[in-house]
Amino acid sequence: MINCSIQKTKDTAHFDALIRLFEEVFEMKDFVMPPADHLERLLARDDFFVFVVLRDGEVIGGLTSYTLRQYYSTSPLVYIYDLAVATAYQRKGIGKMLIAAIQNYCKNIGVEEVFVQADVADDYALDFYRSTGATGEDVVHFYYPLKS
């Protein structure tokens, strides 16, 4: 295990570095970073949160998530939108530490369930989430693109 720390952050510089990490790990071609004021507004929201993994002050991993308020229950759900670890630090337990950190945080704030999506073709992601104790469901994700 490497020496690192995980923290929930509202720091714009950490968030920016995490988005750049997502860009690299997810191989996002032609990505354009949104304006800083947009990211600041997002970080200020109480229904969005970011966890980062820091090693010597550098962001080497992290996740973003959204809170979904339910009408079936008074307890919210949390959706992990993105999770990534820098390639050089993958398979060293950092992703599992991130999952544990968000689960612990969410338990403490009364969240009913944390969930995440993974592409059926992404065997590594499927194996990773199963290894963290997650239960999978067979679902089909539909979307409606609204921009050309």
Side-chain angles (χ1 to χ4, degrees), residues 73-89:
S73 170
T74 58
S75 298
L77 305 173
V78 167
Y79 172 60
I80 298 172
Y81 188 76
D82 276 326
L83 184 154
V85 175
T87 306
Y89 298 100

Side-chain angles (χ1 to χ4, degrees), residues 7-11 14-15 18 43 48-52 62-65:
Q7 65 184 48
K8 183 176 174 278
T9 187
K10 296 273 187 187
D11 182 282
H14 285 160
F15 187 30
L18 180 59
L43 281 173
F48 176 78
F49 42 89
V50 176
F51 283 81
V52 292
L63 64 79
T64 58
S65 57

Side-chain angles (χ1 to χ4, degrees), residues 34-56:
D37 63 330
H38 172 72
L39 299 179
E40 290 167 5
R41 282 192 306 275
L42 193 55
L43 281 173
R45 295 179 59 106
D46 70 346
D47 60 353
F48 176 78
F49 42 89
V50 176
F51 283 81
V52 292
V53 181
L54 299 173
R55 181 166 192 235
D56 299 326

Side-chain angles (χ1 to χ4, degrees), residues 128-148:
F128 167 73
Y129 289 117
R130 286 184 186 114
S131 77
T132 63
T135 302
E137 293 181 313
D138 290 331
V139 297
V140 177
H141 175 91
F142 293 93
Y143 65 96
Y144 300 93
L146 303 177
K147 288 185 175 182
S148 305

Side-chain angles (χ1 to χ4, degrees), residues 21-41:
L21 177 68
F22 290 156
E23 178 183 19
E24 178 185 323
V25 171
F26 300 149
E27 299 176 353
M28 298 164 58
K29 295 178 175 69
D30 303 320
F31 173 72
V32 176
M33 181 69 80
D37 63 330
H38 172 72
L39 299 179
E40 290 167 5
R41 282 192 306 275

Side-chain angles (χ1 to χ4, degrees), residues 90-140:
Q90 291 178 3
R91 295 179 175 82
K92 298 183 186 308
I94 294 170
K96 288 182 179 183
M97 289 171 41
L98 278 164
I99 293 294
I102 194 169
Q103 286 180 314
N104 187 46
Y105 176 79
C106 288
K107 266 186 212 172
N108 289 335
I109 63 169
V111 171
E112 182 174 315
E113 178 179 289
V114 175
F115 67 101
V116 62
Q117 290 178 205
D119 289 332
V120 173
D122 190 345
D123 290 333
Y124 174 71
L126 297 174
D127 290 344
F128 167 73
Y129 289 117
R130 286 184 186 114
S131 77
T132 63
T135 302
E137 293 181 313
D138 290 331
V139 297
V140 177

